[in-house]
Amino acid sequence: MEFPLLSIMTFLPLAGVLIILATVRGSGEVADRNAKYVSLYTSLFTFAFGLYMFANFDGNSAEFQFVETSSWLKPFGINYHMGVDGISMFFVLLSVFLTPICIISAWDAIKKRVKEFMIAFLILESFMVGTFCALDAILFYVFFEGVLIPMFLIIGVWGGARRVYSSYKFFLYTLLGSVLMLIGLLVLYAQTGTTDIPELMNTPVSSSLQYWLWLAFFASFAVKMPMWPVHTWLPDAHVEAPTAGSVILAGVLLKMGGYGFLRFSIPMFPEASAYFVDLVFWLSVIAIIYTSLVALVQEDMKKLIAYSSVAHMGFVTLGIFTMTSQGVEGSIFQMLSHGLISGALFLCVGVVYDRLHTRELSRYGGIVSNMPKYATIFMILMLGSVGLPGTSGFVGEFLILLGTFQVDTLVAALSATGVILGAAYMLMLYKRVVFGPRENRDALAMPDLNKRELSLLIPLVALVLWLGVFPSDVMNKISPSVDKLIAEYNEKLEKAGIEPKQANELTFLVDKKDLED
């Protein structure tokens, strides 16, 4: 492709950083305002290119599109290779959509070192987009790990009282897993002689080596998701991060682990993936049930939503490793849906926190009378998180459970209890905040959503409802790439003489085409 669309989307935020550094001098109200506007316009232009990518994406093709190759990184031993398919395209779109929302949400909330905050967020956007576009393993690793630095600063500089502890915990957890992944990448390069991801997908790796490489990559992706029991960094990071940091952390950064499984673990190490499938299943089941029970007893609104995120990511890993079309497509859809719903829920927490400066549930109650707009939007998002039919949350969980029932009835039945527990803790959260006892006068004096807050939440709510009613707008573009991934996975297992996990006697009673219709 002559027009370098993906490179523009990846590096345009860095151009915004250079503009801020070159034009915004000193500090003060004028400098802060200029930094805000430069970062906002940069992120909006990037989002516009994302819409162009979506409009020109061929949903009938399973191949990589908007492909770019260049030799400008050859001196560093890296092949500059970019492209997106049906699996990665929507994650790029999610990244460029949430970034301007985060910048607007921080407009009044961030009062110190505003210029530096905006720079950190633009760098973060650049690394996020690059992660999902990179088709070279080393390039992917640079972007994948690069997000740690701006996110570490966002939590550590602009976070809450325990921000330093939480930022270091976040950094060390993710760095430890990433070191193992880097070793795995070097071994993979030594064995295959290439770091090109499409080539690696079609280059067989010896069976004995696959298991070790799968574990090395799993260490990084499991922490990033995060999976139980390496999830403990997430609640601390969410609680201490500023609202914008929590939105982008839940909305995009958690999805990088699931994307890594789909891009590396499944296609490159199919035999190991088939061998470790039961391990992933039971870790996912524990995550769904355990973290849902933990969420039930939380008194901090952010912690409750953070633990719910771990449970929802448990559904994602469950669906990915069913290696059924319903399970994998449901997992991708669930990641997109969770990015919208959890991001919006953290914005809702930020709205009331800015007014009352506390996240304790006991300090709220009865705000439906003075904040009816907030109560309505919060209700829709809560029901989306629960998975009510008609919202995007239902589609992903439904497909994941259908895919899981085909492979392991017991795992599916246990995982389905997470839907019940999810309804329990989200309804409890809504009841205590919106319909609880009218005892706190400060809560009852809070003003309703202003125009800026409505402009942030209404697009998210609209997308949650739109995808719940018209999921085919996404599924039709995802399906070809997923079908190709599953077909190649089964073909590789057949060549190795390995039987994939067999379907149960309880068969899938609804044809996939009927569902799409």
Side-chain angles (χ1 to χ4, degrees):
M1 182 179 180
E2 293 182 4
F3 182 62
L5 176 64
L6 301 183
S7 293
I8 290 174
M9 293 175 63
T10 301
F11 298 110
L12 183 57
L14 296 184
V17 170
L18 294 177
I19 293 172
I20 293 175
L21 291 174
T23 61
V24 180
R25 300 291 183 183
S27 59
E29 187 176 339
V30 175
D32 292 347
R33 186 187 65 224
N34 291 341
K36 290 175 186 177
Y37 277 111
V38 170
S39 59
L40 176 60
Y41 289 142
T42 302
S43 63
L44 288 174
F45 276 121
T46 309
F47 177 53
F49 282 112
L51 292 177
Y52 176 83
M53 173 191 68
F54 176 75
N56 289 274
F57 186 86
D58 182 5
N60 297 316
S61 173
E63 303 302 320
F64 289 104
Q65 301 177 42
F66 310 106
V67 174
E68 303 172 28
T69 56
S70 177
S71 59
W72 67 281
L73 287 177
K74 278 286 186 184
F76 303 98
I78 301 173
N79 296 315
Y80 185 80
H81 190 185
M82 306 282 272
V84 292
D85 62 356
I87 295 173
S88 58
M89 188 266 292
F90 283 102
F91 294 116
V92 176
L93 200 58
L94 183 66
S95 301
V96 298
F97 171 67
L98 287 179
T99 301
I101 288 178
C102 291
I103 290 172
I104 297 172
S105 74
W107 205 265
D108 296 325
I110 301 299
K111 301 184 185 304
K112 64 175 184 178
R113 298 181 178 177
V114 175
K115 180 176 77 171
E116 289 80 1
F117 180 86
M118 296 301 165
I119 288 173
F121 234 94
L122 289 177
I123 294 173
L124 180 61
E125 181 182 23
S126 179
F127 287 150
M128 290 189 301
V129 174
T131 298
F132 297 120
C133 292
L135 290 183
D136 181 85
I138 300 300
L139 195 62
F140 168 86
Y141 184 83
V142 171
F143 287 127
F144 184 81
E145 294 310 314
V147 299
L148 294 181
I149 300 170
M151 196 66 217
F152 171 79
L153 294 174
I154 288 169
I155 298 172
V157 176
W158 294 278
R162 299 175 71 246
R163 58 185 180 274
V164 175
Y165 165 79
S166 298
S167 60
Y168 274 104
K169 188 175 183 180
F170 159 73
F171 189 85
L172 292 174
Y173 261 74
T174 49
L175 182 65
L176 180 61
S178 301
V179 169
L180 296 174
M181 178 183 168
L182 178 59
I183 295 171
L185 276 176
L186 295 175
V187 172
L188 191 61
Y189 173 72
Q191 291 293 314
T192 61
T194 182
T195 58
D196 188 72
I197 291 176
E199 283 187 37
L200 288 172
M201 288 178 176
N202 298 311
T203 303
V205 179
S206 64
S207 300
S208 58
L209 186 60
Q210 275 196 36
Y211 300 100
W212 294 107
L213 290 175
W214 189 93
L215 289 171
F217 280 79
F218 180 76
S220 181
F221 299 148
V223 171
K224 211 83 161 189
M225 287 291 290
M227 295 179 68
W228 183 89
V230 290
H231 68 285
T232 58
W233 64 267
L234 183 66
D236 290 320
H238 270 311
V239 167
E240 300 304 326
T243 299
S246 292
V247 171
I248 209 70
L249 179 60
V252 180
L253 267 60
L254 299 190
K255 313 306 179 286
M256 291 181 177
Y259 175 73
F261 285 132
L262 292 167
R263 189 60 83 220
F264 288 88
S265 303
I266 300 277
M268 296 181 191
F269 318 122
E271 296 172 46
S273 296
Y275 180 81
F276 287 112
V277 66
D278 287 323
L279 170 67
V280 175
F281 276 4
W282 288 105
L283 287 179
S284 301
V285 168
I286 293 171
I288 291 168
I289 297 174
Y290 169 73
T291 54
S292 294
L293 292 172
V294 174
L296 270 170
V297 298
Q298 294 304 311
E299 289 294 322
D300 185 295
M301 296 169 69
K302 261 194 173 184
K303 266 197 176 181
L304 189 153
I305 299 171
Y307 279 110
S308 78
S309 293
V310 180
H312 282 101
M313 290 302 100
F315 278 105
V316 169
T317 49
L318 191 67
I320 289 173
F321 281 87
T322 64
M323 285 313 293
T324 61
S325 59
Q326 295 82 24
V328 177
E329 289 176 18
S331 292
I332 297 171
F333 197 95
Q334 175 76 344
M335 284 191 276
L336 298 173
S337 170
H338 178 265
L340 298 172
I341 294 173
S342 65
L345 284 171
F346 279 116
L347 285 174
C348 286
V349 175
V351 165
V352 293
Y353 180 80
D354 289 341
R355 288 159 170 75
L356 208 57
H357 302 292
T358 181
R359 293 183 298 268
E360 293 298 317
L361 291 174
S362 59
R363 297 289 305 279
Y364 294 92
I367 65 172
V368 66
S369 60
N370 55 302
M371 301 182 70
K373 295 176 186 175
Y374 177 85
T376 303
I377 288 176
F378 195 17
M379 179 190 68
I380 296 171
L381 296 170
M382 178 271 297
L383 294 174
S385 179
V386 167
L388 184 77
T391 66
S392 61
F394 169 76
V395 179
E397 288 186 3
F398 179 71
L399 288 174
I400 289 168
L401 289 174
L402 284 177
T404 309
F405 264 112
Q406 294 181 75
V407 176
D408 195 315
T409 306
L410 176 61
V411 168
L414 291 173
S415 301
T417 62
V419 178
I420 301 169
L421 293 171
Y425 60 70
M426 289 308 296
L427 287 169
M428 180 271 292
L429 169 66
Y430 191 77
K431 177 181 178 294
R432 293 184 64 180
V433 173
V434 178
F435 293 123
R438 296 166 55 86
E439 297 174 353
N440 193 328
R441 292 184 179 180
D442 292 335
L444 298 176
M446 294 191 301
D448 208 350
L449 297 172
N450 57 40
K451 291 181 180 179
R452 180 181 63 84
E453 292 161 344
L454 284 170
S455 70
L456 296 174
L457 290 168
I458 287 177
L460 291 166
V461 170
L463 281 173
V464 168
L465 295 175
W466 179 269
L467 294 179
V469 178
F470 302 104
S472 59
D473 290 348
V474 170
M475 303 298 284
N476 290 342
K477 287 181 166 58
I478 293 175
S479 292
S481 297
V482 170
D483 291 341
K484 179 185 177 184
L485 175 69
I486 294 172
E488 292 178 349
Y489 171 81
N490 289 328
E491 183 182 342
K492 291 170 184 175
L493 290 187
E494 186 179 346
K495 286 182 179 178
I498 297 174
E499 287 288 334
K501 208 166 176 62
Q502 295 296 313
N504 295 300
E505 293 182 6
L506 177 63
T507 56
F508 188 41
L509 300 179
V510 183
D511 185 76
K512 177 184 166 186
K513 188 175 185 305
D514 293 337
L515 263 180
E516 291 174 350
D517 292 341

